[in-house]
């Protein structure tokens, strides 16, 4: 009897097939999704019927750039770790050309802005007028809060001073 042939997981010699397998599950990048969120999120949620796409293009997650077959599948997707990871990744402002120039030494460093990101509203809420919120978080640091050193020292001294007890 012959030897059992081992199944190859990757097309090693066939580079044209190898490329096809590598980009099969490719999705939109974060900067493209960020552009969609800022410019045309309402348009993507309320798409026209397209018979070629899953769910006839009526159930689309803007944050993940994915189509779903029905509303229950999309609502289940909103509770998954994949969607939550994508929301977390979209909280940071995407990399830009200006940032690359600053990294090359043509400007001063600026911290990437953090944003508050929420899951998209349902189709009924969009029809009622609700939109996707992308708002910047304001972070307060010790450098931003300017208090004189003398006043800080005086508050510490009064806080730590033992109080007199009257008998």
């Amino acid at each position: 009897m012959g030897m059992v042939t081992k199944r190859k997981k990757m097309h090693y010699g066939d580079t044209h097939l190898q490329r096809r397998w590598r980009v099969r599950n490719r999705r939109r990048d974060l900067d493209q999704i960020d552009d969609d969120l800022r410019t045309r999120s309402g348009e993507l949620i309320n798409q026209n019927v397209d018979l070629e796409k899953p769910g006839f293009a009526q159930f689309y997650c803007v944050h993940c750039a994915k189509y779903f077959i029905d509303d229950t599948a999309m609502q289940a997707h909103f509770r998954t770790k994949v969607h939550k990871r994508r929301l977390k990744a979209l909280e940071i402002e995407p990399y830009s050309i200006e940032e690359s120039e600053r990294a090359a030494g043509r400007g001063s460093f600026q911290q990437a802005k953090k944003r508050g990101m929420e899951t998209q509203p349902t189709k009924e809420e969009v029809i009622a007028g609700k939109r996707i919120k992308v708002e910047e978080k304001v972070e307060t640091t010790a450098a931003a809060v300017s208090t004189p050193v003398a006043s800080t020292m005086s508050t510490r001294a009064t806080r730590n001073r033992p109080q007199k007890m009257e008998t």
Side-chain angles (χ1 to χ4, degrees):
M1 320 312 150
M3 294 182 59
V4 178
T5 58
K6 184 178 174 185
R7 181 180 159 273
K8 291 184 181 180
K9 295 182 181 177
M10 198 67 169
H11 296 277
Y12 181 70
D14 303 327
T15 55
H16 65 285
L17 293 176
Q18 191 176 12
R19 272 192 223 111
R20 185 182 327 155
W21 284 100
R22 190 176 354 160
V23 297
R24 179 181 63 177
N25 295 326
R26 186 87 173 133
R27 298 278 177 218
R28 291 173 65 86
D29 288 328
L30 291 176
D31 56 343
Q32 295 170 326
I33 292 173
D34 183 67
D35 186 42
D36 288 345
L37 283 171
R38 281 188 278 119
T39 57
R40 57 188 195 118
S41 61
E43 177 185 321
L44 287 171
I45 293 174
N46 290 324
Q47 294 183 24
N48 294 329
V49 174
D50 186 3
L51 300 177
E52 299 294 321
K53 295 181 181 167
F56 303 130
Q58 297 302 302
F59 308 101
Y60 182 74
C61 176
V62 179
H63 299 104
C64 300
K66 256 182 164 176
Y67 290 97
F68 294 94
I69 200 77
D70 60 355
D71 191 42
T72 56
M74 188 167 74
Q75 296 301 323
H77 162 74
F78 289 157
R79 293 187 298 270
T80 61
K81 191 183 283 189
V82 175
H83 181 75
K84 291 175 184 176
R85 261 194 234 134
R86 182 56 65 107
L87 284 178
K88 188 77 170 177
L90 285 170
E91 281 183 355
I92 299 173
E93 189 179 36
Y95 191 73
S96 64
I97 294 173
E98 293 81 20
E99 188 174 352
S100 65
E101 288 177 354
R102 286 193 298 267
R106 296 184 184 157
S108 60
F109 175 74
Q110 293 178 354
Q111 186 71 28
K113 296 176 186 171
K114 295 278 279 182
R115 302 178 294 185
M117 196 67 63
E118 293 180 1
T119 301
Q120 72 187 41
T122 60
K123 287 184 77 88
E124 292 81 24
E125 291 173 341
V126 170
I127 291 170
K130 189 172 181 181
R131 298 289 176 241
I132 293 178
K133 293 181 185 175
V134 179
E135 52 192 36
E136 293 183 13
K137 289 183 183 178
V138 178
E139 295 182 20
T140 57
T141 60
V145 178
S146 60
T147 57
V149 176
S151 67
T152 308
M153 293 302 286
S154 65
T155 56
R156 283 190 200 148
T158 58
R159 229 182 301 137
N160 295 335
R161 186 181 310 157
Q163 302 205 357
K164 293 182 184 179
M165 294 178 64
E166 295 184 25
T167 57

